[in-house]
Structures are given as C-alpha cells and as structure tokens.
Amino acid sequence: MSVDSVFVHKMWNDNELSKMVTGGVPFPMLSDSGGRVGTTYGIYDADAGVETRGRFIIDPDGIIQGFEVLTPPVGRNVSESIRQVQAFQLVRESKGAQATPSGWKPGKMTLKPGPDLVGKVWEVWKTSMAFDE
Amino acid sequence: MPEDFKPGCARPTGGPVGDTPVIIEPESASARKEEQKPMIQVGKKAPDFTAPAYIQGKFANVTLSEYLGKWTLLCFYPGDFTFV
C-alpha cells in the first residue's frame, strides 16, 4: 500500500516489477491516496506526504501480532518477516504452550514456559542458538 | 530556474516556501484529527479499511476483513519506483 494511484501501480507492475517477478506482483497493490489508512496505522509521514516502510503481521482473527517500521532508504528483510509468521503460527498451533526463543527458525528448539523452566533456561538454551550457524 | 534534484528512496515532494502560513483550523477538523490518532498495538485488532487495488491486470476494492482466517502481511512503502 502506498499513496500512489492504482494507475501508477499498474505502470510500475507492468513495466518494471513484472520483469523481476514472473507474472508480476501476485497480491493486491493497494492505493491510499490521502494517507488515511497510513495515518490510522501510524506510519504516514504528513510532512513528506508519503507512507514509511511499515509492515504489519495480522493473524487469522485480525489481531496485529507484530509490526516493523523503517524510514524510506532501507529495504525490508522478507525472510525475517516469513520467519516471524512461522513462529507465530507455531505458537498459535500449540495454543500458547510453546514459545520461540531468540533467533528461532523452523527446526530449532522451542521452549515450554512453566514453573519448572523458571531460572532454568540457561540449562537448555544457549546464546549461540540465537544466531545462524 | 528549475533546479535538478537527485532522486532518492522517498517519493519526491514539494511544500510551501517562505513565511509559514498561519493556518486556523476549524474545530471540527481538529476533532477529526483526534479521532485519527494511531490506535496500533500488538495484541489488538488491526483497524479495518477498504482501498482500491491493482491485482494482476484488474482494478478492485479490497477490504482487510476479507482476509480473516488467513495470516496477512500489510506492507506500506513510500511510493512506486522508489528503488528499494
């Protein structure tokens, strides 16, 4: 979503993005001219008249589970967004019984918060696990 | 004379120059601003909206709540053609 019109979205997709992604952008390219949606989400820069790089993870119940906002010159990390969605999906499937420690990604250990784990995380989880190998 | 500018990753925009104009806001406008205060918090509902969209060769109105039941990523960006 940006403040551009759907006509500009079409030009950008058809003339540039479709040359990077086969078949073009597969999801809706939303237009928010006037920035009203961006204002509601707190990412509209009224001085510049544009929206900043805000990204919101919304779960199947319509609840915001996470967000990230960057200023214009730095692009996002799509892999990190996907990792976060995978982590939230795991937590949701376990109905909150499991939690994903720092640096978790699919295949890495999760933690089961409870009375027995209090003060004992250091025994089962090492800081090296927070990083990619 | 128009001066060249270097295109960056924010959509180029202009603005008023010279003395800052005094803007007297009617009361209703400031009340509206109050209403539009960001209400974003993790663990809270994502504000619903409808917006026009370009989707694979077609124009259509999209409503966020149509995506209930799915994991959804809502991404904002400064503008088309802004490089990154």
Side-chain angles (χ1 to χ4, degrees):
Chain A
M1 173 171 274
S2 73
V3 297
D4 297 284
S5 72
V6 289
F7 308 124
V8 182
H9 284 341
K10 176 174 162 53
M11 285 299 119
W12 191 30
N13 176 73
D14 296 2
N15 295 300
E16 187 171 38
L17 298 181
S18 58
K19 289 169 184 151
M20 302 178 189
V21 180
T22 313
V25 175
F27 45 77
M29 299 173 75
L30 301 157
S31 172
D32 183 30
S33 43
R36 284 168 60 218
V37 178
T39 301
T40 306
Y41 277 79
I43 54 81
Y44 182 67
D45 180 345
D47 294 331
V50 299
E51 288 166 346
T52 50
R53 294 189 197 278
R55 183 232 57 190
F56 298 80
I57 297 177
I58 303 169
D59 78 9
D61 297 322
I63 304 297
I64 296 173
Q65 292 295 345
F67 59 82
E68 173 191 72
V69 188
L70 306 175
T71 53
V74 172
R76 296 171 241 260
N77 185 334
V78 179
S79 306
E80 170 59 6
S81 293
I82 292 171
R83 185 199 72 83
Q84 289 181 16
V85 171
Q86 288 170 327
F88 283 120
Q89 286 175 335
L90 183 146
V91 169
R92 186 180 169 93
E93 259 163 50
S94 79
K95 298 198 182 343
Q98 292 184 60
T100 60
S102 177
W104 178 89
K105 58 184 185 180
K108 282 194 176 183
M109 72 172 293
T110 58
L111 294 175
K112 294 173 188 65
D116 297 343
L117 192 61
V118 177
K120 298 276 173 54
V121 172
W122 68 275
E123 289 179 5
V124 292
W125 186 84
K126 309 296 170 199
T127 49
S128 61
M129 295 179 187
F131 303 94
D132 292 337
E133 297 71 44
Chain B
M1 278 293 282
E3 260 180 60
D4 290 357
F5 68 84
K6 215 171 146 268
C9 293
R11 206 175 63 137
T13 51
V17 290
D19 293 340
T20 314
V22 181
I23 299 163
I24 300 158
E25 278 192 4
E27 214 166 298
S28 59
S30 58
R32 200 157 3 103
K33 251 189 190 164
E34 197 75 23
E35 258 174 51
Q36 289 191 344
K37 252 193 209 161
M39 297 279 286
I40 295 302
Q41 215 180 310
V42 288
K44 294 281 191 299
K45 221 160 181 53
D48 201 9
F49 61 83
T50 297
Y54 177 63
I55 318 167
Q56 301 254 298
K58 289 180 182 160
F59 296 123
N61 285 315
V62 171
T63 302
L64 179 67
S65 52
E66 287 165 5
Y67 290 83
L68 283 173
K70 291 181 176 181
W71 286 87
T72 307
L73 285 176
L74 174 62
C75 292
F76 296 87
Y77 60 96
D80 296 342
F81 302 102
T82 52
F83 308 102
V84 301

